[in-house]
Amino acid sequence: MDLVEQKISDGRVLKLIRMFLEQDVMDGIKRWTPQTGSPQGAVISPLLSNIYLDPLDRLMAADGFEMVRYADDFVILCRSREDAERALAAVGAWTAEAGLELHPVKTCIVDVRSESFDFLGYHFCGEHRWPRKKSLKKMRAEIRAKTRRTSGHSLHYVIRDVNFTLRGWFEYFKHSHPWTFERLDAWIRMRLRSILRRRSGRRGRGRGLDHQRWPNAYFAKHGLFSMVTAYRLASQSSKR
């Protein structure tokens, strides 16, 4: 709050922030009042992280390091392992003085030429990036819930509902390697073919001759959002 008060003087805003910090936390049937920090997942956490970690941003910039940060997640780009070790030592010293701790598992030095790492939902490896496994699993679970074979909704309704998820997900992950979208588009059409297959009195998943009964163009005609097509359009726009 001392740092917040250096940037904000409005007493009403400061009172609101204190209320966020002092609000009781519910976890199942357990309830307690936090004594320090900001509750994880609270809407105020990213804002407070930006204020609290601003000195760290300035420290890294002054030392010549390029840091990419969102709230309390960050990556520091270095040209050599020696630079990376020097940056890690500087961050470790700063966080200790600021009353913070680096995550013991997530904090590591990675050579992207031969190793990989996750950051903000993406998996980075060399020059390529794609959604991390957890991000894909979450999206697939949401699509599965909307494309159950026993769904009683019309195909038009199902596709419209699916499109809400696909458009938002693609907008964030559109910087992924293109094969990501090819596989997902095919998987989603398989889910829709399975619905149509069941309604025509057949069992199992949509496959084999189902690709001829309901070709890709069939779903495009019904308005299914194609991530492959969206990626191509986005790529063309970026080259202009």
Side-chain angles (χ1 to χ4, degrees):
M1 286 304 300
D2 291 339
L3 288 175
V4 173
E5 289 174 3
Q6 292 176 16
K7 299 177 179 293
I8 300 174
S9 59
D10 190 320
R12 294 170 299 177
V13 175
L14 294 174
K15 180 180 179 181
L16 179 61
I17 294 175
R18 287 194 183 92
M19 290 174 63
F20 270 110
L21 294 174
E22 297 170 359
Q23 183 64 44
D24 287 357
V25 176
M26 291 289 294
D27 183 7
I29 61 174
K30 297 181 180 179
R31 176 174 178 171
W32 73 93
T33 301
Q35 300 300 316
T36 59
S38 175
Q40 185 175 7
V43 295
I44 200 69
S45 294
L47 172 62
L48 295 180
S49 294
N50 286 338
I51 294 176
Y52 202 73
L53 297 179
D54 182 62
L56 178 61
D57 296 341
R58 298 178 183 276
L59 174 64
M60 291 294 100
D63 288 349
F65 294 114
E66 184 74 24
M67 184 167 76
V68 181
R69 181 175 66 81
Y70 177 81
D72 61 345
D73 288 328
F74 57 86
V75 171
I76 301 175
L77 309 177
C78 304
R79 295 184 179 277
S80 66
R81 186 172 186 85
E82 290 73 22
D83 283 348
E85 291 173 348
R86 185 164 60 89
L88 180 57
V91 172
W94 185 90
T95 52
E97 185 177 349
L100 302 173
E101 294 182 9
L102 292 174
H103 195 288
V105 176
K106 295 181 179 180
T107 305
C108 59
I109 295 177
V110 174
D111 185 340
V112 295
R113 294 170 297 184
S114 57
E115 300 173 284
S116 60
F117 68 96
D118 293 340
F119 183 55
L120 299 182
Y122 275 90
H123 183 77
F124 293 84
C125 185
E127 298 179 356
H128 301 296
R129 54 190 175 271
W130 54 87
R132 64 173 181 165
K133 291 182 179 179
K134 186 176 180 180
S135 301
L136 283 171
K137 184 178 180 181
K138 183 178 179 181
M139 191 274 273
R140 285 176 177 263
E142 188 170 346
I143 294 299
R144 285 192 182 96
K146 294 184 175 186
T147 56
R148 292 189 176 94
R149 297 178 206 176
T150 56
S151 172
H153 295 295
S154 67
L155 182 64
H156 174 75
Y157 177 93
V158 173
I159 288 178
R160 185 181 63 178
D161 196 23
V162 165
N163 283 349
F164 285 133
T165 298
L166 298 183
R167 288 195 175 96
W169 193 87
F170 173 80
E171 189 61 30
Y172 186 81
F173 288 105
K174 62 185 177 183
H175 305 290
S176 301
H177 194 281
W179 59 257
T180 301
F181 310 120
E182 295 173 5
R183 295 180 180 181
L184 285 174
D185 274 358
W187 177 76
I188 292 165
R189 288 192 296 266
M190 180 277 292
R191 297 284 305 178
L192 296 175
R193 288 188 180 104
S194 298
I195 295 176
L196 295 174
R197 182 181 177 85
R198 180 182 178 87
R199 291 178 180 178
S200 63
R202 298 177 176 87
R203 296 182 179 180
R205 297 189 302 173
R207 54 190 176 184
L209 293 177
D210 291 337
H211 288 266
Q212 298 177 17
R213 295 188 185 97
W214 305 290
N216 296 355
Y218 175 85
F219 298 106
K221 183 179 179 180
H222 280 75
L224 178 64
F225 179 82
S226 169
M227 287 186 277
V228 169
T229 301
Y231 177 82
R232 290 171 181 167
L233 293 173
S235 298
Q236 292 174 3
S237 298
S238 64
K239 293 178 181 179
R240 291 176 183 174

